[in-house]
């Protein structure tokens, strides 16, 4: 197909979709590929876009990886070891590794969990390093009566040997900040200052925070001022609409373009991963919209 005819075909297709809607329209493979490439090329490149796998669990991983690549996503979050190779073979990265044993409720704030977690995380860190994966997620665990000071001390003790192992393997452990008001009742690492204290206590560049914008809007608000203040403590971001944890468009209260501009101004070089639960019939269109909103 000549360039002129291809442009004409795409123009006619666009007019047809505008007139009758997407239902029943079959996009030829060559034209669909051109549209995908055009979208990727339109991205500004200031944000390293990623996405959390669990929000799209109804789509087979290989297909999801291909579709994510089509819309300019560079990496997929929260993949287990048996999923890494699928993503890496398709040219994307695993931006944040996990495994089935990782528990939000039973974490490093309870010494009774240390031995088992250390054994399993030690292996996961080694596996991640061998696969070129740079980040592994960890959790504080629920309070269960453990005070803030106790939690800090016990997390520090439990994580110390793992952080040393991570240093040797060029891996960063990231503890996620989660809300304890709506989604994760009693979770201990539920405010940024507490997480910052833990990072300071551990004192390693290989231990940082996962700043989840959705969760911290619920717990603290003041998102831009917080990420500006603590930018050096954050190695990863997650998104989500508030309230409801759905699309990050103008149906919710956060101004994501402004937040992304602050992240870019802070010279952040890590990943921003979409972690909202899509409500659109076409969940990948919701994901594409989220990437567009965050691409500043």
């Amino acid at each position: 197909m000549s360039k002129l005819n291809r442009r004409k075909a795409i123009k006619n297709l666009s007019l047809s979709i505008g007139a009758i809607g997407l239902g029943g329209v079959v996009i030829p493979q060559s034209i669909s590929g051109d549209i995908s490439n055009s979208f990727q090329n339109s991205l500004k490149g200031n944000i390293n876009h990623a996405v959390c796998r669990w929000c799209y669990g109804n789509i087979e991983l290989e297909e999801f990886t291909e579709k994510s690549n089509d819309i300019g996503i560079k990496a997929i979050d929260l993949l287990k070891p048996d999923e890494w190779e699928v993503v890496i073979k398709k040219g994307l990265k695993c931006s944040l590794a996990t495994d089935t044993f990782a528990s939000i409720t039973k974490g490093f704030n309870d010494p009774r969990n240390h031995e088992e977690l250390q054994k399993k995380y030690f292996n996961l860190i080694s596996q991640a390093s061998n696969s070129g994966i740079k980040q592994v997620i960890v959790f504080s665990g629920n309070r269960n009566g453990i005070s803030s000071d106790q939690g800090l001390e016990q997390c520090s003790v439990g994580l110390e040997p793992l952080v040393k192992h991570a240093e040797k393997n060029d891996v960063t452990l990231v503890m996620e900040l989660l809300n304890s008001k709506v989604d994760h009742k009693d979770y201990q690492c539920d405010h940024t200052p507490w997480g910052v204290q833990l990072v300071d206590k551990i004192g390693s560049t290989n231990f940082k925070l996962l700043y989840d914008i959705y969760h911290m809007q619920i717990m603290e608000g003041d998102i831009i001022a917080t990420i500006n203040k603590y930018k050096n403590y954050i190695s990863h971001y997650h998104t989500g609409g508030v309230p409801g944890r759905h699309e990050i468009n103008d149906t919710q209260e956060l101004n994501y373009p402004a937040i992304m501009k602050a992240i870019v101004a802070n010279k952040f070089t890590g990943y921003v991963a979409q972690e909202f639960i899509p409500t659109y019939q076409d969940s990948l269109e919701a994901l594409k919209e989220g990437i567009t909103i965050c691409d500043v």
Side-chain angles (χ1 to χ4, degrees), residues 5-280:
N5 288 338
R6 182 176 291 176
R7 291 195 195 102
K8 185 176 180 181
I10 294 173
K11 181 178 179 182
N12 290 341
L13 178 65
S14 299
L15 290 172
S16 298
I17 291 172
I20 65 174
L22 288 172
V25 174
V26 178
I27 301 177
Q29 185 62 40
S30 62
I31 297 175
S32 177
D34 286 347
I35 293 171
S36 296
N37 290 336
S38 176
F39 181 81
Q40 286 188 58
N41 293 336
S42 72
L43 296 177
K44 297 180 177 67
N46 297 321
I47 296 288
N48 289 319
H49 296 291
V51 60
C52 290
R53 167 63 178 152
W54 72 268
C55 303
Y56 302 87
N58 61 323
I59 304 174
E60 191 269 330
L61 181 58
E62 187 169 350
E63 178 188 357
F64 181 63
T65 303
E66 292 172 352
K67 298 296 186 183
S68 295
N69 189 39
D70 285 346
I71 58 176
I73 287 171
K74 296 181 178 180
I76 300 180
D77 261 23
L78 300 176
L79 295 174
K80 300 183 290 296
D82 62 353
E83 299 171 313
W84 299 344
E85 188 177 357
V86 174
V87 171
I88 293 168
K89 278 186 174 180
K90 293 292 182 179
L92 271 66
K93 295 183 181 296
C94 172
S95 40
L96 191 60
T98 189
D99 207 345
T100 53
F101 66 81
S103 172
I104 290 173
T105 59
K106 295 181 179 179
F108 288 94
N109 65 346
D110 189 338
R112 292 174 296 181
N113 301 327
H114 286 179
E115 184 177 356
E116 182 179 1
L117 287 175
Q118 286 168 352
K119 180 180 179 181
K120 291 179 177 179
Y121 268 110
F122 192 97
N123 185 50
L124 181 60
I125 292 165
S126 296
Q127 286 180 289
S129 178
N130 291 337
S131 296
I133 297 168
K134 299 298 185 182
Q135 296 192 127
V136 171
I137 193 169
V138 297
F139 301 100
S140 67
N142 284 4
R143 290 180 180 85
N144 293 319
I146 297 170
S147 71
S148 292
D149 289 345
Q150 285 177 316
L152 282 171
E153 179 62 30
Q154 289 162 184
C155 278
S156 176
V157 170
L159 285 163
E160 182 180 10
L162 293 175
V163 172
K164 288 180 179 178
H165 184 55
E167 289 172 345
K168 294 175 183 177
N169 286 272
D170 193 25
V171 170
T172 298
L173 299 184
V174 290
M175 180 168 285
E176 185 166 14
L177 293 154
L178 299 171
N179 84 76
S180 59
K181 182 179 178 181
V182 177
D183 299 286
H184 302 289
K185 301 288 186 181
D186 202 42
Y187 184 72
Q188 188 141 51
C189 188
D190 62 350
H191 283 82
T192 309
W194 191 92
V196 166
Q197 282 184 273
L198 181 58
V199 174
D200 282 340
K201 193 172 185 64
I202 289 175
S204 170
T205 56
N206 291 74
F207 180 77
K208 292 195 174 183
L209 299 176
L210 192 175
Y211 188 90
D212 190 301
I213 298 164
Y214 160 78
H215 287 295
M216 290 302 96
Q217 171 68 359
I218 291 171
M219 295 304 297
E220 303 172 340
D222 208 19
I223 298 294
I224 292 175
T226 301
I227 63 177
N228 286 342
K229 182 176 181 180
Y230 297 119
K231 61 184 179 181
N232 294 329
Y233 292 83
I234 299 166
S235 68
H236 202 74
Y237 287 93
H238 280 171
T239 74
V242 181
R245 199 178 193 165
H246 298 304
E247 285 80 9
I248 60 173
N249 55 31
D250 60 7
T251 62
Q252 50 88 56
E253 68 192 32
L254 285 161
N255 184 346
Y256 268 98
I259 295 168
M260 293 300 122
K261 287 176 183 176
I263 290 172
V264 171
N266 287 336
K267 296 180 169 41
F268 179 72
T269 59
Y271 290 99
V272 175
Q274 303 292 329
E275 198 188 21
F276 62 84
I277 301 168
T279 63
Y280 295 179

